[in-house]
Amino acid sequence: MAKQIRTIGVLTSGGDAPGMNAAIRAVVRTALGNGVKVRGIRRGYSGLLNEDIIDMTARDVSDTIQRGGTILQTARCLDMCTEEGQQKAAAICKKYEIDGLVVIGGDGSFKGARALSNLGVNTIGIPGTIDMDIACTEYTIGFDTAVNTAMEAIDKVRDTSTSHERCSVVEVMGRDAGYLALWCGIANGAEKILLPEEHDYNEEQIIQDITENRKRGKKHYIIINAEGVGDSANLARKIEEATGMETRATILGYMQRGGSPTAKDRVYASIMGAKAVQLLMEGKTNRVVGYKHGEYVDFDIDEALDMQKAIPAYQYDIAKGLSI
Amino acid sequence: MAKQIRTIGVLTSGGDAPGMNAAIRAVVRTALGNGVKVRGIRRGYSGLLNEDIIDMTARDVSDTIQRGGTILQTARCLDMCTEEGQQKAAAICKKYEIDGLVVIGGDGSFKGARALSNLGVNTIGIPGTIDMDIACTEYTIGFDTAVNTAMEAIDKVRDTSTSHERCSVVEVMGRDAGYLALWCGIANGAEKILLPEEHDYNEEQIIQDITENRKRGKKHYIIINAEGVGDSANLARKIEEATGMETRATILGYMQRGGSPTAKDRVYASIMGAKAVQLLMEGKTNRVVGYKHGEYVDFDIDEALDMQKAIPAYQYDIAKGLSI
Amino acid sequence: MAKQIRTIGVLTSGGDAPGMNAAIRAVVRTALGNGVKVRGIRRGYSGLLNEDIIDMTARDVSDTIQRGGTILQTARCLDMCTEEGQQKAAAICKKYEIDGLVVIGGDGSFKGARALSNLGVNTIGIPGTIDMDIACTEYTIGFDTAVNTAMEAIDKVRDTSTSHERCSVVEVMGRDAGYLALWCGIANGAEKILLPEEHDYNEEQIIQDITENRKRGKKHYIIINAEGVGDSANLARKIEEATGMETRATILGYMQRGGSPTAKDRVYASIMGAKAVQLLMEGKTNRVVGYKHGEYVDFDIDEALDMQKAIPAYQYDIAKGLSI
Amino acid sequence: MAKQIRTIGVLTSGGDAPGMNAAIRAVVRTALGNGVKVRGIRRGYSGLLNEDIIDMTARDVSDTIQRGGTILQTARCLDMCTEEGQQKAAAICKKYEIDGLVVIGGDGSFKGARALSNLGVNTIGIPGTIDMDIACTEYTIGFDTAVNTAMEAIDKVRDTSTSHERCSVVEVMGRDAGYLALWCGIANGAEKILLPEEHDYNEEQIIQDITENRKRGKKHYIIINAEGVGDSANLARKIEEATGMETRATILGYMQRGGSPTAKDRVYASIMGAKAVQLLMEGKTNRVVGYKHGEYVDFDIDEALDMQKAIPAYQYDIAKGLSI
């Protein structure tokens, strides 16, 4: 028979992402509405190990759905990668009567959730990262906000790029996964998108393409560079030297991680938060919530961590076709 | 053997929606990139019947992906509902050597496309409406922008509602389909969502719920009313009379139809525009592009028009559970 | 010798306005930084009479400068218009050892401040209203945010208005002062601005102007109507009947009162808040802070309430000249 | 007797700034409305020397007031600094019958206008730069938009900075004038503002202040660095090393130059554009339009270039007082 859940803990872990507050709010209110107590764990697993734990009421999450960041804060926690840390964490959960734990974060955070599940604390993961690099789900909390933030910034870069007939190299986040770069590339009508998945970074080719585009009458040229593919400042310098076209680099940086979440991030995060509590109440553990093929689903964490995700190559091809 | 397409026409029809320009741009550039000429038809079917037709180059759609509205404009056209009008439209397509036509709009617009297909003009529909009320697809161009526009406006209403401890009745668009209302309801953390699909509009119940919520300590109370469900001004007046809580109605109106499209609207519209041209080039006709179960797909228009769509009831239930 | 101030009270009164939190924050931190205690009075004068008073620390205003509304909330208070109410309010100030009181609001709120000053409580007013209708100052907290909110909404209305070649009647706030309407009129490039100050509301003239504009090739027509000048819905109906041009009314409503404040509202409100405390510390009372001729200044409240303000007629003329 | 103006030229010069299009629109429509022809000169003085000149109608500036950048584009032009270039420019003005020229730009651009005035072409300057570094005016086109753009980006940085309890070094534009940095410092509630005007850049002091702030309970720490004062990346590294607080640098870059202009930028630019034409029609030359002490004024260009502007030190002091 499924374990009856009396108290749920909730934490956010890894990099913060807009919409995490919507997920926390949904966890808190769904639990309370079903007669389950909620404890908020501050600063991720680090706070769990330090017993940085607070009781949460429905009012504590009032007026938070529209806020960026995470009201529970987050932190890195190397101790949670050790068996000793994991056992301490499980013991603290028991001390605070936390029967079920919702972990909002990425793959690294889910590994901690798996460890706790093995140690008898029921756990459910919710995918939260602006990078979209979680294989089991087509949606991760924060991606939609981050891509809109980056896109709006690049729209502004484009204004000045057009006025001056410049080339602009804009670096977006996504060192290991090019979703942000691909989406901005399409949404901003960029002439070139540099993705970590493509493995074809070639400055000669970029310079040649710019030269050809100018002949076809393009007034400005925007290159979206996923962090780490090319060195934006160097690339800009080389383009200017080779083509004579004034070229500037912009690195969007940490603004991509914040901001009031978009409707999609608020709605999906709310539904995922509610679903996580429902799963705990059904006695489930070691599961991660996802959105796949148009439905909210859940997977075994082990299974989820083994999945592979590939950036859709046809979309990259479409983007190339639209930059003529 | 499939008809070889040499010239593609493109028009926007019905209510405009943010992202239509991204779709037009994708149609134009995908066609041109494949050696196919493009004619833009202005003012929808009405413009087609008036031969309001222009040649389009890749530069004509430069700097348009980020713009609201539709550069081709749109209009109502009753004549296109008549057989005579349809035959005239087909004749004009032939006169202008338009072998394939891309129609961006809603169900009504697709009926025109079907008629033209029957008369020998290959046609592909792209779903464009902020109402999301097209059954064959989980995405329609403009919905994502409209819901974010409405949500951001309601965030602002919420600020003043909280400062004054008021009740606010906010009317969003969606006379026949409550998607905008449902999403805003969840995204804005509304206390009550009035949907056309629910058929349970009950002012007594609303007033009773407000009274109970105030006892539980809610500082403000937001009701999202899908246009046409309740009369917003009357409802506000009745609530104030019955509860003594200061209540104000806001009707968001036409601002929901405009604005620079979100990343999602730009990306999906771009891919759908490219796909529509690919379908025409494969010799397809009488198809509508859709996004379903996580993939870009296409359906026979007749089939698509016969499909039924229901608002997801479980999401409505989740929204209720989160407004405690 | 000037009275030494040991405890300052702060309240927001009348309609809320974005930037009030920046002013509260500046009052709190400037006072604390100078060794003066601060009490926050919730819900305006009403809260003062109900002793809804809290001690405030520097941390209580952390993370508030970017928030719309007022964290101290606001309310109407008829009792404060009576001598009895005013004496009770002064007595409560003394009970709570409030030597100096900062009142953020409009002319009505300043009358209460004057009454309290006469009863021995030193008071300083800060102009806060989105309507700009305070004669002694060229800036009032909230106007800049409100005008940008309205303008951005009207930009969106314009998108759809252009796509459909419609006429749009957009109603903005400002029943007694047309600043919002005038600014939106210029900033949105409206064809017609209806101001309460002009006293020349003439539907025949409006209809005639639309007809002439269409002849000159204007694709759309936007009328900004200051709340109460014309009835927006009726006007829209009459225009459509008379000109045949599809016409829609949009009433922007309460969203104009909320939202994260603009830079100007945050900066000016911060400086005014700091200045209000400085004035109290100098022993001043019955003063209102203003911004005039490029400088932060202060006036006697009696003097300020007697001043008259006229909307700049030359700007209205310029607006007319630009709508050709 | 004043020279009668029959044709006005207009150009934008130097760095582009949001609101320049509103000024262009006002110049075009005010001139046309007064029976004066308008020629648009593309790409600044460089375009003038290359005779890149187009006739402009009232419709050419339709739908431009809300757009970032400059529809006339801009470019650097070293030739215009030489006497030979200036004489060629004057000759081209005469060839195109340009009696009066409106130059939208900064001090460098006004020097070109002065030279042309000396050579018999009547010229009026309009201050356009996001840096606010034009001494004769309290307002320059683009500053208000730029400061709001930067502030909104920093609000987002703050979200993630708070979630992670990080220190953030944010670099804004303004190498020679700290207005953007000062305003963002106040508007974002930054803990530290580094201005070029202060000449007191001291990394030891910054590190010491952070340490003290943390003791007072500050959860995050934001430093606004005007471009060029400190090296943002190095400073971030040093802070992290010295304090152990995770520290990240963000360089906002070229996004600060673009974007749809704010209401203030649209309104002031419109009035300044109209005023520039009025001055030309009155026969004035070698003048620059300004906004000073609450009024639109104009100065002799020589006089204007000699003026000095100092950042308001009391505002910097207030900012320090508010970051407790």
Side-chain angles (χ1 to χ4, degrees), chain D residues 24-46:
Chain D
I24 296 168
R25 175 180 173 271
V27 168
V28 170
R29 293 200 169 171
T30 305
L32 294 175
N34 285 286
V36 175
K37 281 176 62 179
V38 184
R39 298 207 206 275
I41 298 159
R42 304 181 68 219
R43 298 180 176 81
Y45 290 119
S46 165

Side-chain angles (χ1 to χ4, degrees), chain B residues 90-145:
Chain B
I92 292 168
C93 285
K94 274 156 205 165
K95 176 175 167 189
Y96 285 84
E97 298 177 320
I98 295 171
D99 313 301
L101 180 68
V102 178
V103 172
I104 307 165
D107 281 348
S109 312
F110 299 156
K111 286 178 190 162
R114 178 172 59 182
L116 287 173
S117 183
N118 289 336
L119 294 165
V121 183
N122 284 9
T123 55
I124 305 290
I126 294 178
T129 161
I130 66 161
D131 291 337
M132 274 276 278
D133 58 345
I134 298 180
C136 70
T137 184
E138 291 159 9
Y139 164 81
T140 62
I141 295 175
F143 174 74
D144 193 59
T145 304

Side-chain angles (χ1 to χ4, degrees), chain D residues 3 9-13 44-45 48 77 80-82 85-87 89-90 93 99-127 276 280 284-289 299-302 304-305:
Chain D
K3 180 160 82 171
V10 56
L11 63 80
T12 48
S13 169
Y45 290 119
L48 178 57
C77 181
M80 194 63 192
C81 301
T82 68
Q86 293 161 1
Q87 280 174 339
C93 285
D99 313 301
L101 180 68
V102 179
V103 172
I104 307 165
D107 281 349
S109 311
F110 299 158
K111 286 178 189 162
R114 178 172 60 182
L116 287 174
S117 184
N118 290 336
L119 294 166
V121 183
N122 285 9
T123 53
I124 305 289
I126 295 178
L280 283 176
K284 302 277 177 59
T285 184
N286 199 40
R287 309 289 294 175
V288 56
V289 177
F299 294 99
D300 189 87
I301 288 183
D302 301 78
L305 291 174

Side-chain angles (χ1 to χ4, degrees), chain A residues 16 43 160 165 248 254, chain D residues 16 43 159-160 165 248 254:
Chain A
D16 65 333
R43 299 180 175 80
T160 183
E165 299 181 300
R248 296 284 182 272
Y254 282 84
Chain D
D16 65 332
R43 298 180 176 81
D159 283 340
T160 183
E165 299 180 300
R248 296 284 182 272
Y254 282 84

Side-chain angles (χ1 to χ4, degrees), chain D residues 27-223:
Chain D
V27 168
V28 170
R29 293 200 169 171
T30 305
L32 294 175
N34 285 286
V36 175
K37 281 176 62 179
V38 184
R39 298 207 206 275
I41 298 159
R42 304 181 68 219
R43 298 180 176 81
Y45 290 119
S46 165
L48 178 57
L49 293 174
N50 293 321
E51 304 186 34
D52 192 355
I53 297 171
I54 51 172
D55 287 339
M56 296 191 81
T57 70
R59 288 295 78 76
D60 290 332
V61 290
S62 287
D63 210 30
T64 63
I65 197 171
Q66 81 281 18
R67 296 216 188 132
T70 157
I71 56 168
L72 289 176
Q73 301 187 286
T74 182
R76 284 179 303 177
C77 181
L78 294 176
D79 287 348
M80 194 63 192
C81 301
T82 68
E83 215 183 292
E84 198 189 330
Q86 293 161 1
Q87 280 174 339
K88 187 178 168 194
I92 292 168
C93 285
K94 273 156 205 165
K95 175 174 167 190
Y96 285 85
E97 299 178 317
I98 294 172
D99 313 301
L101 180 68
V102 179
V103 172
I104 307 165
D107 281 349
S109 311
F110 299 158
K111 286 178 189 162
R114 178 172 60 182
L116 287 174
S117 184
N118 290 336
L119 294 166
V121 183
N122 285 9
T123 53
I124 305 289
I126 295 178
T129 161
I130 65 162
D131 290 336
M132 274 278 277
D133 58 345
I134 298 180
C136 69
T137 183
E138 292 159 8
Y139 164 80
T140 62
I141 295 175
F143 174 74
D144 193 59
T145 304
V147 75
N148 277 288
T149 296
M151 178 193 81
E152 288 171 19
I154 301 170
D155 278 349
K156 293 184 211 291
V157 172
R158 191 196 350 218
D159 283 340
T160 183
S161 203
T162 309
S163 295
H164 287 267
E165 299 180 300
R166 267 189 199 128
C167 174
S168 294
V169 179
V170 186
E171 184 171 313
V172 298
M173 285 186 162
R175 179 173 291 280
D176 301 310
Y179 293 94
L180 260 172
L182 176 61
W183 274 59
C184 286
I186 300 177
N188 292 108
E191 277 67 27
K192 180 72 76 182
I193 311 172
L194 307 177
L195 301 180
E197 289 85 351
E198 288 298 309
H199 308 293
D200 63 351
Y201 180 69
N202 182 335
E203 292 180 347
E204 291 312 305
Q205 188 61 49
I206 294 168
I207 287 165
Q208 195 183 313
D209 288 353
I210 293 173
T211 308
E212 279 166 23
N213 261 273
R214 293 188 79 182
K215 286 185 198 153
R216 288 208 305 278
K218 282 266 177 191
K219 287 180 192 162
H220 53 86
Y221 199 89
I222 292 181
I223 298 168

Side-chain angles (χ1 to χ4, degrees), chain A residues 2-232:
Chain A
K3 180 159 82 171
Q4 202 196 322
I5 301 292
R6 291 211 181 76
T7 303
I8 284 177
V10 56
L11 62 81
T12 48
S13 168
D16 65 333
M20 282 185 163
N21 288 330
I24 295 168
R25 175 180 174 271
V27 168
V28 170
R29 293 201 171 170
T30 305
L32 294 174
N34 284 286
V36 174
K37 283 177 60 178
V38 184
R39 299 209 206 276
I41 299 159
R42 304 181 68 218
R43 299 180 175 80
Y45 289 119
S46 165
L48 178 58
L49 293 174
N50 292 321
E51 303 185 34
D52 193 354
I53 297 170
I54 51 172
D55 287 339
M56 296 191 82
T57 70
R59 290 294 77 76
D60 291 332
V61 290
S62 286
D63 210 29
T64 62
I65 197 171
Q66 81 281 17
R67 297 216 187 131
T70 158
I71 56 168
L72 289 176
Q73 301 186 289
T74 182
R76 284 180 301 177
C77 180
L78 294 176
D79 286 350
M80 194 61 191
C81 301
T82 68
E83 214 184 291
E84 199 187 329
Q86 293 161 1
Q87 279 175 338
K88 186 175 170 196
I92 291 168
C93 285
K94 273 157 206 164
K95 175 174 168 191
Y96 285 85
E97 297 178 321
I98 295 171
D99 314 300
L101 180 68
V102 178
V103 172
I104 307 165
D107 281 349
S109 312
F110 299 157
K111 286 179 190 162
R114 178 173 59 182
L116 287 173
S117 183
N118 289 336
L119 293 165
V121 184
N122 284 8
T123 53
I124 305 289
I126 295 178
T129 162
I130 66 161
D131 290 337
M132 275 277 277
D133 58 344
I134 298 180
C136 70
T137 183
E138 291 160 8
Y139 164 81
T140 63
I141 295 175
F143 174 73
D144 193 59
T145 304
V147 75
N148 278 288
T149 296
M151 178 194 79
E152 289 172 17
I154 301 169
D155 278 348
K156 294 184 210 292
V157 172
R158 184 177 32 191
D159 283 341
T160 183
S161 204
T162 310
S163 295
H164 287 266
E165 299 181 300
R166 265 189 201 129
C167 174
S168 294
V169 179
V170 187
E171 184 171 313
V172 299
M173 285 185 161
R175 180 173 290 282
D176 302 310
Y179 294 94
L180 261 172
L182 176 62
W183 275 60
C184 287
I186 300 177
N188 293 108
E191 276 68 27
K192 180 71 78 183
I193 311 172
L194 306 176
L195 301 179
E197 288 86 351
E198 288 297 307
H199 309 296
D200 63 351
Y201 180 69
N202 182 336
E203 294 180 347
E204 291 312 306
Q205 187 61 50
I206 293 169
I207 288 165
Q208 195 184 314
D209 289 352
I210 293 174
T211 308
E212 278 166 22
N213 262 274
R214 294 187 80 182
K215 288 184 198 152
R216 289 207 306 278
K218 281 266 177 190
K219 289 180 191 161
H220 53 86
Y221 199 91
I222 292 180
I223 299 169
I224 308 295
N225 180 28
E227 187 186 357
V229 177
D231 178 299
S232 299

